Amino acid sequence: MGYITHPEAAIHMKPAPKVAQFSSRGPNSITPEILKPDITAPGVNIIAAYSEDPKPVLPYNIDSGTSMACPHVAGVVGLLKRVHPDWSPSAIKSAIMTTANIIDNSGNPMIDETKHEASPFSRGAGVIDPNRAMDPGLVYDLTVNDYLDFLCTRGYNKTIIQKFSGQPYECPKNYNILDFNYPSITVPKLNGTVTVTRRLTNVGLPGTYTVGVKSPAGISVDVKPNILAFGKNGEVQKFELTMKADGTRVGRDYVFGELTWSNGNHYHVKSPIVVSMA
């Protein structure tokens, strides 16, 4: 005898979310100064709609992995662009990353398949939170010249860069890729002291933000200025973050921390800090 029982939805599973075993891991093998992955999104056993393509003849199916995490993020990007049509792609990315959540539904830091706390190399900035991303307060924006300077650091010559710029572009003589205005801060092979620069653009109400730092193990972190006052929407403020090995760490493994700009109420603009020793 065969039996078919009525399926029951599994809800309120704990802990959730968590990083799947097959999810991509950092560090970035090509440009280690930029953290990858950026973000975590739903990707396992997702019921996905298909177009009415004859091969296969399916109105929907179940997909897993980045096959589903990518369209989730793309959909959120589309919604954010609709709400904020003046935002650049980098501003949207920043909003998604700095408002991401690293706490699961049991109130603990998100874990991976090993049942240990997930690091920025597995979860990125955290799990995407579309509602919070609509109103991030501050964003790390990028200009076209920022991207061209990045190409300069990768060794592209003037001829190739001009294909992107449309006109001759002079690479800066002293540009540091660590100053690329990304929503995360990554310093591979720290030797002594290093200072990185970031710019924040106000996309919320006027307000004053105070910095909070969770320093990576064995690394001292100093932020100047530690208070940023924004008087209007669109205002840009710059800050410097200086990192130094405090002498307590001798290994070369990566260590992780966090930088948060908060107005004490609604906005908490978070960035992962990732450092390894030389």
Side-chain angles (χ1 to χ4, degrees):
M1 299 289 290
Y3 296 92
I4 298 178
T5 58
H6 190 278
E8 294 184 4
I11 60 175
H12 306 305
M13 300 291 290
K14 291 186 177 183
K18 61 182 178 181
V19 181
Q21 182 273 334
F22 52 77
S23 186
S24 299
R25 299 296 202 272
N28 188 331
S29 60
I30 298 175
T31 310
E33 297 85 357
I34 296 179
L35 175 65
K36 292 295 174 181
D38 290 321
I39 203 73
T40 302
V44 178
N45 291 344
I46 305 297
I47 297 177
Y50 276 62
S51 64
E52 293 299 327
D53 187 90
K55 296 179 182 179
V57 185
L58 293 171
Y60 63 89
N61 200 357
I62 292 179
D63 270 358
S64 282
T66 53
S67 303
M68 291 314 304
C70 285
H72 273 92
V73 177
V76 171
V77 169
L79 291 172
L80 290 176
K81 188 64 175 178
R82 181 64 181 269
V83 175
H84 301 287
D86 58 326
W87 281 10
S88 68
S90 56
I92 292 174
K93 173 184 279 190
S94 175
I96 290 174
M97 289 178 63
T98 61
T99 59
N101 189 15
I102 62 173
I103 303 299
D104 63 26
N105 61 357
S106 65
N108 297 307
M110 184 169 56
I111 62 174
D112 59 18
E113 76 282 358
T114 68
K115 297 185 179 180
H116 291 97
E117 182 176 345
S119 79
F121 282 152
S122 60
R123 59 165 168 80
V127 178
I128 192 168
D129 188 332
N131 290 333
R132 291 182 62 195
M134 286 193 298
D135 187 22
L138 307 173
V139 294
Y140 294 86
D141 206 354
L142 286 164
T143 66
V144 171
N145 284 359
D146 288 319
Y147 287 106
L148 295 177
D149 291 343
F150 171 79
L151 294 179
C152 292
T153 68
R154 301 303 304 162
Y156 290 97
N157 59 38
K158 292 182 178 180
T159 302
I160 295 178
I161 292 177
Q162 187 169 340
K163 293 181 182 295
F164 295 93
S165 63
Q167 57 188 356
Y169 184 76
E170 191 70 29
C171 288
K173 294 181 179 180
N174 299 314
Y175 181 76
N176 188 344
I177 192 172
L178 295 178
D179 295 332
F180 191 62
N181 204 45
Y182 215 68
S184 55
I185 299 166
T186 305
V187 179
K189 298 181 180 180
L190 173 64
N191 186 6
T193 302
V194 66
T195 297
V196 302
T197 302
R198 289 291 188 273
R199 305 184 309 271
L200 281 165
T201 302
N202 182 30
V203 293
L205 297 173
T208 299
Y209 289 77
T210 303
V211 75
V213 177
K214 179 182 177 182
S215 298
I219 307 295
S220 66
V221 180
D222 183 42
V223 181
K224 292 183 179 179
N226 58 10
I227 297 176
L228 297 176
F230 294 89
K232 61 181 180 179
N233 189 282
E235 184 177 349
V236 179
Q237 297 271 6
K238 183 184 293 186
F239 69 91
E240 292 183 340
L241 185 147
T242 300
M243 285 177 278
K244 181 181 180 180
D246 63 13
T248 63
R249 188 173 186 85
V250 295
R252 297 185 179 183
D253 291 339
Y254 280 92
V255 287
F256 310 104
E258 190 174 84
L259 173 79
T260 304
W261 289 97
S262 173
N263 70 345
N265 184 19
H266 181 68
Y267 297 118
H268 303 278
V269 186
K270 296 186 298 182
S271 297
I273 301 175
V274 180
V275 185
S276 70
M277 303 296 294

